[in-house]
Amino acid sequence: MEIQSLYKLKTKFVAREVGNELIIVPLSGNVAQMNALFTLNETGKFIWDNATDNNSIEDIVMLMTDTFDIDSQTAKKDIDTFLQKLETTLV
């Protein structure tokens, strides 16, 4: 899954912050599907929040290295893992 795909997918979810986590719930029509909610940790929340149609994966890698104490290789791996898990869960 690419960041632009995630950006488009975000419109099909309701998101709420709870502490340092983000709870996302898929929508079906105008109804939340509470049996399929997802909890995102701080890193997942950061990726989710920064997935816009203007940001590429490289942009988010740079944002992550500026925000967290990690190198670009680790940031890229975290983003790839996040996208793979989200894609696997939603398919």
Side-chain angles (χ1 to χ4, degrees):
M1 176 184 292
E2 292 293 319
I3 289 295
Q4 287 73 24
S5 298
L6 174 58
Y7 172 71
K8 291 175 187 171
L9 187 68
K10 286 172 60 172
T11 61
K12 298 178 182 183
F13 287 84
V14 170
R16 295 290 180 259
E17 268 188 71
V18 178
N20 287 338
E21 296 180 330
L22 184 69
I23 308 296
I24 57 173
V25 180
L27 297 172
S28 177
N30 288 329
V31 178
Q33 300 298 312
M34 296 305 289
N35 60 338
L37 63 87
F38 303 95
T39 303
L40 305 181
N41 63 16
E42 186 177 7
T43 304
K45 179 184 177 311
F46 186 88
I47 296 167
W48 181 270
D49 289 344
N50 286 285
T52 68
D53 62 344
N54 296 327
N55 280 341
S56 66
I57 288 177
E58 292 76 23
D59 294 332
I60 297 175
V61 166
M62 287 191 316
L63 290 169
M64 285 180 71
T65 58
D66 289 346
T67 304
F68 301 103
D69 187 23
I70 58 171
D71 58 57
S72 59
Q73 184 178 5
T74 302
K76 175 77 166 81
K77 182 179 174 219
D78 287 349
I79 293 167
D80 289 342
T81 300
F82 174 81
L83 293 174
Q84 287 172 359
K85 284 184 180 180
L86 191 60
E87 185 173 40
T88 301
T89 304
L90 297 176
V91 171

